[in-house]
Amino acid sequence: MSARTHDMGGAPAGPIDRSEPPVTLTEQRVDAMMALLREPPLGLFSTDAMRRAIEDLAPDVYLGSAYYERWCYAMRDLLVETGVLTDAEIADRLAAVQQRFETEGAPP
Amino acid sequence: MTDLFAPGMTVRVKAGETPGHVRTPYYLRGQTGQVQRLLGTFPNPEDCAVHKSGLPAKRLYQVLFPVHAVFPGQAVAAADDTILADIYEHWLEPATVDAGETTAL
Amino acid sequence: MTTAHRHDRTHAHAATADHAPPGHEWEFLEIALRELLIEKRVLTAAAIQARIDAVEGATPIQGSRVVARAWVDPAYKARLLADGNAAVAELGYGFDGPKLVALENTPARHHMVVCTLCSCYPKPLLGLSPAWYKSREYRSRAVSEPRAVLAEFGTVLPEDVELRVVDSTADCRYLIIPLRPVGTEGWTETRLVDLVTRDSMIGVAPARTPQTDHGTDV
């Protein structure tokens, strides 16, 4: 057995990229929505459930994704798991959003 | 609240594998360390992760490990450098002298 | 409204391993989820923006003020070490949820914080964590190669100083009280605040010394 992907203490890795790109609005929104969904009064899921949803992403998705990208996928999974949204309505809306930007340009 | 592990006690982190969400890092499993202090009790994260209450709450301990013992031959650290980690009570067991460990704590 | 400004920021940064390029697929998912949550009245756009504003309002200056107070007031420092949440509340900083644990650097011991499992960080005091703190490289190597990691931050500790790596694994968040620089005797608390950098409270660097007080170091 070996460590799960997120459990990376002691794993071989290269030099640290110390650059600090500014946080984007998309990232800020994911951060904010996750906090609002998690905290009272909504309290839809716990911090541990959020961590678990991130950890359960496929290893290639976890390692290939940006930090808040992982959060966004975990948020989608948690919203389905808690019955707030369904897979079908997310898929439909995602297609609609993509369609919209194909005709109108880049995301805001 | 009674204290299972007093500061200064030598403890071993359980070496088990569990599916699901766990807050005990893999690199510390099976390692021997020294209890620094009891941090309090917190709902069990392994249960909270699957939307349960996590109650009864579990004791959480600060445990100190020597870097070189945890990462033999790999550590880039001075002789006395350490790792301090927070480990839940159900992941700890008293370390006995005859358990095959020769850690010089 | 700062939409135009924010729009620019969205597209301004370079892509690195832990930062998606702008226009990435997942940004559409964020829009889809947000629209659905607002339509279903789970969230409001105003609440999301208010939360963003609140997060932007939490910056390392809060942590710096806590440390500077601890430097000048031994009784406060004792309270901070005993009960971090209560001590920062004295200065008006809410730290709800996780337990806040302050650890003090000494001439014999230096602390450095990492979260190998995710990205635990004392956000109410330090703001959002820097990208490198959440990177695979920092999370992997901080526990096994702590002196090499510190060296990459330009920090070299004497061999006889114990480097204590704090893996923030569970329900605590850690704030490091760096060593008060020599040559600051008699300084006011306000002046000391400027010496307490974010990195010194994570433990990857010492506090600024008076000589480098006006340097370009972040």
Side-chain angles (χ1 to χ4, degrees), chain B residues 22-25 27 36-37 39 42-43 45 60 62 64 67 71 74-78 80-88, chain C residues 81 99 101-103 115-118 120 143-148 159 161-172 174:
Chain B
V22 171
R23 296 305 290 180
T24 305
Y27 72 89
Q36 299 300 293
R37 64 165 147 163
L39 290 158
F42 299 86
L60 182 64
Q62 264 182 353
L64 192 67
V67 176
F71 296 106
Q74 182 191 349
V76 181
D80 295 331
D81 290 350
T82 52
I83 297 166
L84 186 69
D86 301 343
I87 310 287
Y88 281 97
Chain C
L81 292 169
K99 179 182 174 75
V101 180
L103 295 172
C115 175
T116 62
L117 296 173
C118 50
C120 297
V143 286
S144 54
E145 307 178 1
R147 298 243 171 187
E159 286 280 310
V161 172
E162 176 195 341
L163 172 54
R164 186 168 284 194
V165 183
V166 183
D167 192 352
S168 193
T169 50
D171 283 278
C172 299
Y174 284 94

Side-chain angles (χ1 to χ4, degrees), chain C residues 1-56:
Chain C
M1 185 59 200
T2 56
T3 306
H5 169 62
R6 290 175 189 283
H7 178 93
D8 290 337
R9 287 171 58 193
T10 306
H11 295 269
H13 71 70
T16 65
D18 286 275
H19 290 269
H24 190 276
E25 198 73 11
W26 75 272
E27 297 194 56
F28 295 108
L29 177 62
E30 182 279 323
I31 295 166
L33 295 176
R34 175 161 42 86
E35 287 182 358
L36 287 168
L37 289 170
I38 291 170
E39 282 170 21
K40 287 175 177 280
R41 300 175 190 274
V42 178
L43 299 177
T44 65
I48 295 168
Q49 188 58 49
R51 182 70 189 203
I52 290 171
D53 293 343
V55 169
E56 283 190 330

Side-chain angles (χ1 to χ4, degrees), chain C residues 55-117:
Chain C
V55 169
E56 283 190 330
T59 71
I61 191 72
Q62 270 106 316
S64 303
R65 289 188 185 123
V66 170
V67 169
R69 174 67 58 87
W71 279 349
V72 300
D73 182 345
Y76 181 77
K77 184 168 79 180
R79 294 198 295 282
L80 179 63
L81 292 169
D83 184 344
N85 303 71
V88 302
E90 285 182 41
L91 301 191
Y93 305 136
F95 203 101
D96 302 325
K99 179 182 174 75
L100 177 66
V101 180
L103 295 172
E104 184 185 17
N105 286 348
T106 69
R109 181 180 298 151
H110 180 94
H111 298 85
M112 175 173 98
V113 182
V114 64
C115 175
T116 62
L117 296 173

Side-chain angles (χ1 to χ4, degrees), chain B residues 22-43:
Chain B
V22 171
R23 296 305 290 180
T24 305
Y26 192 83
Y27 72 89
L28 289 175
R29 309 254 179 101
Q31 295 292 332
T32 302
Q34 191 181 54
V35 173
Q36 299 300 293
R37 64 165 147 163
L38 174 66
L39 290 158
T41 62
F42 299 86

Side-chain angles (χ1 to χ4, degrees), chain B residues 46-60:
Chain B
E46 294 159 33
D47 290 342
C48 294
V50 287
H51 309 298
K52 294 188 205 163
S53 72
L55 300 177
K58 297 282 189 182
R59 296 173 186 81
L60 182 64

